[in-house]
Amino acid sequence: MSEEPDDVVRRERFSGGPARGFLSSLAADERIFRADIQVDRAHVVMLAEQGIINESEAGEILAALKGVEEAGHAALPDGEDVHAAIETAVIDRIGDVGGKMHTARSRNDEVATCLRHRLRADIVELAEAVLAFREVLAEVAETHVDTVMPGFTHLQPAQPTTVAHYLLSYESALARDTERLFAAFDRTNRSPLGAAAFAGTTFDVDRERTAALLGFESVIENAMDAASARDFLTETTAATATLATTLSGLAEDLILFANKGYVDLDDDYASTSSIMPQKKNPDTLELVRASAGDTAAGLNGLLTTLKGLPRAYNRDLQRAHDHAFDAVDAVTDATEVAAGAVATADWNADALAAAAGEGFSTATGVADLLAAGGLPFRTAHEIVARAAEESETADLLAAIEAAAAETLDESLDTHVERDALAAALDPAESVASRDSHGGPAPEAVEAALDRAAGDAAEAETALDARRQALADAEVRLATEVDGYV
Ligand code: ARG
């Protein structure tokens, strides 16, 4: 037998023995300490309102909970988990009446509620970081609508674009990542409390009331589902892993661009070498890139833990939620760091402009021009491809003329004016000509910036509404509790 005092769950029977530490989640549960106190409060208020316990009992328990909250997680007695330890602490403070707190519930609905309660706040924080990053991307883009840069496919120079167009490509990806986080939030924001172990309870509980007191949007009806479900964890982790994947692409680009001298990271976002004094390494972005690996691994760990679990509660679930919390933490940090790196980076317009013209990157625009002049696009493509073969050695304009003479019966002049051809070969003109919806031409990018601003404002409002609902619930619950103590 252990020397430690037993918690309320393990008194008498099953001391835990040598497996005591193995079983315990108390340390990791620090994350849901405050959530558990709130869940306890809502439950106790509801029990009193339903006449399941009386008001003075509720008052005593709620006062004890306040003391336990103030003493903090570190002051909790030993226990199998935070739920047992808090209950033990309440009983230690007020005696047997504290034992009424756990009436009409189980740790199964309790932990599921705590996890959802805490994760909601974490998702809000992550979404906040993503919105701030979107704002940074739009702000920097606004100053680079005319900064021409090479665009790549297969990492080969492909077509010129602009820094604004490039940055907005990530802004719009992050807009979808934001939507996924909101969707995950909304399905997390449903209350399992009152499901008890999985099979409901004989007590006349009011599940809608505890849900409302805790700011949940609704109740998960089926008690077995409510106690067992962890898809809110997978959904949040998947949204987070997807976001991390977006960030990793951006990080990779910036690492490459820094390597080529297209972009200069601020010293705050770079590291030096311990041996090579000249080095400036993009370590922060490398760690952003790595967070996608950790998060994907977390999602995999989570799904693997959950796969094939039978109904209803199984202790495996105790190992599930850390994957989600770790992912959200890592990616919140990565989002903030990536935003800082982008906000403070300098784009080297001259190096970008020079690189934008390399490798006949305007070839597609030239082919488009010939096709617009009446040639079938395939013929135009063939002429420009021939010219591209020569473009290393010959003047491009001359190479196009020579290729056209070999391919066409009539003169190139019947299809295109020389001035227009010369313009199409210029990277900036090439960009300006691609003014289709979503293209890189300055007008198209200005329109995209307007849309991005509108979308961001909408997302900000949606986030505020969710954050406010959580804050309102805190106030409501505190007011109810004050009525008893
Ligand atoms: N610490 C447990 C967890 O995180 C709480 C639920 C324990 N329930 C049980 N039936 N053993 O999952």
Side-chain angles (χ1 to χ4, degrees):
M1 281 287 287
S2 160
E3 300 284 312
E4 309 275 339
D6 287 332
D7 71 41
V8 286
V9 182
R10 294 203 165 270
R11 266 174 200 160
E12 313 281 331
R13 269 176 94 202
F14 307 132
S15 73
R20 192 184 188 96
F22 183 72
L23 281 168
S24 176
S25 61
L26 185 55
D29 286 347
E30 181 170 3
R31 186 162 191 128
I32 51 169
F33 171 73
R34 175 102 209 313
D36 194 62
I37 299 271
Q38 291 296 82
V39 169
D40 287 345
R41 285 175 170 142
H43 182 66
V44 169
V45 166
M46 181 278 293
L47 289 178
E49 287 174 354
Q50 295 297 102
I52 298 169
I53 62 175
N54 69 42
E55 294 198 354
S56 89
E57 290 164 343
E60 278 189 77
I61 297 170
L62 291 167
L65 280 171
K66 176 129 202 76
V68 173
E69 179 182 39
E70 282 165 4
H73 179 267
L76 286 176
D78 188 31
E80 187 169 282
D81 56 27
V82 75
H83 321 291
I86 288 176
E87 192 186 339
T88 306
V90 166
I91 294 169
D92 286 348
R93 279 169 189 264
I94 56 174
D96 283 350
V97 63
K100 295 208 169 193
M101 181 169 78
H102 207 58
T103 312
R105 73 172 185 191
S106 151
R107 279 186 299 160
N108 297 350
D109 59 336
E110 186 181 359
V111 67
T113 311
C114 294
L115 295 173
R116 289 170 181 270
H117 192 279
R118 173 64 207 234
L119 194 60
R120 289 186 313 191
D122 293 327
I123 298 172
V124 164
E125 208 180 300
L126 176 53
E128 221 161 68
V130 176
L131 283 183
F133 190 13
R134 285 169 61 182
E135 201 173 310
V136 163
L137 287 165
E139 272 169 18
V140 179
E142 211 161 338
T143 65
H144 286 293
V145 171
D146 297 309
T147 308
V148 173
M149 70 177 278
F152 302 88
T153 62
H154 311 274
L155 213 50
Q156 300 293 323
Q159 287 186 272
T161 183
T162 65
V163 171
H165 188 242
Y166 164 77
L167 292 174
L168 287 180
S169 77
Y170 280 106
E171 197 285 334
S172 73
L174 290 174
R176 289 190 300 280
D177 286 314
T178 313
E179 291 171 20
R180 275 185 282 271
L181 288 174
F182 284 157
F185 178 96
D186 292 343
R187 271 184 287 273
T188 299
N189 196 20
R190 299 175 186 176
S191 177
L193 198 60
F198 73 87
T201 169
T202 55
F203 292 97
D204 180 24
V205 293
D206 185 345
R207 298 190 59 198
E208 281 71 21
R209 177 62 172 154
T210 46
L213 285 170
L214 293 167
F216 286 106
E217 201 46 51
S218 60
V219 157
I220 299 171
E221 185 186 27
N222 182 288
M224 189 179 286
D225 178 34
S228 311
R230 293 295 185 275
D231 54 296
F232 69 100
L233 296 177
T234 49
E235 189 169 4
T236 301
T237 310
T240 304
T242 307
L243 162 61
T245 306
T246 305
L247 297 178
S248 74
L250 173 92
E252 170 73 5
D253 280 340
L254 293 178
I255 290 164
L256 287 168
F257 294 166
N259 171 270
K260 288 179 188 270
Y262 300 162
V263 73
D264 189 21
L265 293 182
D266 190 88
D267 286 356
D268 282 349
Y269 290 92
S271 298
T272 188
S273 157
S274 60
I275 177 170
M276 298 165 282
Q278 84 290 4
K279 292 274 278 175
K280 180 173 174 182
N281 300 325
D283 294 36
T284 53
L285 294 169
E286 290 164 355
L287 288 170
V288 169
R289 190 171 57 185
S291 74
D294 292 342
T295 313
L299 176 60
N300 192 23
L302 175 59
L303 287 167
T304 308
T305 299
L306 297 179
K307 177 191 170 294
L309 281 188
R311 285 279 190 255
Y313 180 86
N314 301 272
R315 195 59 169 271
D316 314 48
L317 293 177
Q318 183 167 288
R319 303 293 301 165
H321 44 265
D322 281 346
H323 291 299
F325 289 135
D326 290 350
V328 169
D329 286 350
V331 178
T332 303
D333 287 350
T335 305
E336 287 168 359
V337 166
V342 170
T344 55
D346 271 332
W347 292 87
N348 184 342
D350 292 339
L352 287 166
E358 280 169 14
F360 196 5
S361 68
T362 50
T364 311
V366 173
D368 283 345
L369 188 68
L370 298 182
L375 282 178
F377 181 80
R378 196 44 60 207
T379 309
H381 188 280
E382 190 186 328
I383 293 171
V384 178
R386 279 190 189 210
E389 281 171 24
E390 304 297 320
S391 71
E392 293 282 307
T393 49
D395 163 54
L396 268 178
L397 209 48
I400 292 163
E401 278 170 13
E406 282 178 49
T407 314
L408 301 176
D409 298 332
E410 73 267 1
S411 158
L412 189 60
D413 296 332
T414 51
H415 297 288
V416 66
E417 290 184 14
R418 288 308 140 106
D419 286 355
L421 201 51
L425 287 168
D426 175 67
E429 297 278 354
S430 161
V431 166
S433 68
R434 274 173 282 122
D435 58 358
S436 55
H437 185 175
E443 322 78 278
V445 167
E446 294 290 358
L449 277 166
D450 286 347
R451 268 193 300 278
D455 289 353
E458 218 171 274
E460 197 70 65
T461 306
L463 182 62
D464 282 346
R466 285 166 177 83
R467 194 187 355 223
Q468 195 55 50
L470 299 188
D472 290 349
E474 291 271 320
V475 173
R476 239 182 356 254
L477 181 55
T479 308
E480 290 297 339
V481 168
D482 283 347
Y484 291 89
V485 291

